[in-house]
Amino acid sequence: MGVGAGGVADPARVAEAGAGVEALRRALGGLPPPQRAVWLLAEVDGLSYAEIAEVVGASEQAVRGRLSRARTRLAEVMRPWR
């Protein structure tokens, strides 16, 4: 990411990527804890709905709903970074 010709990092691209990561961190912090938990378990840890349901003590249907709402909210907040 942000590496140009000769393997040298482009400072503008590196700064932009860092700002995007910070924006995602803030967006995740703005999610309700149940949505944040299922998003992290799905997207970072790669767990299935059944596995997430077991971890958080909810039904798979509840996990699907929370994850859907989390993804929708994050997509809205992160739209400028696309």
Side-chain angles (χ1 to χ4, degrees), residues 23-24 26-28 71-81:
L24 177 58
R26 284 193 311 269
L28 284 169
R71 286 176 173 159
T72 298
R73 179 65 183 138
L74 291 174
E76 291 169 1
V77 172
M78 297 304 293
R79 186 168 288 126
W81 295 98

Side-chain angles (χ1 to χ4, degrees), residues 47-60 63-64:
L47 299 183
S48 69
Y49 292 142
E51 292 167 325
I52 296 168
E54 187 175 324
V55 170
V56 301
S59 69
E60 287 185 49
V63 167
R64 282 192 294 276

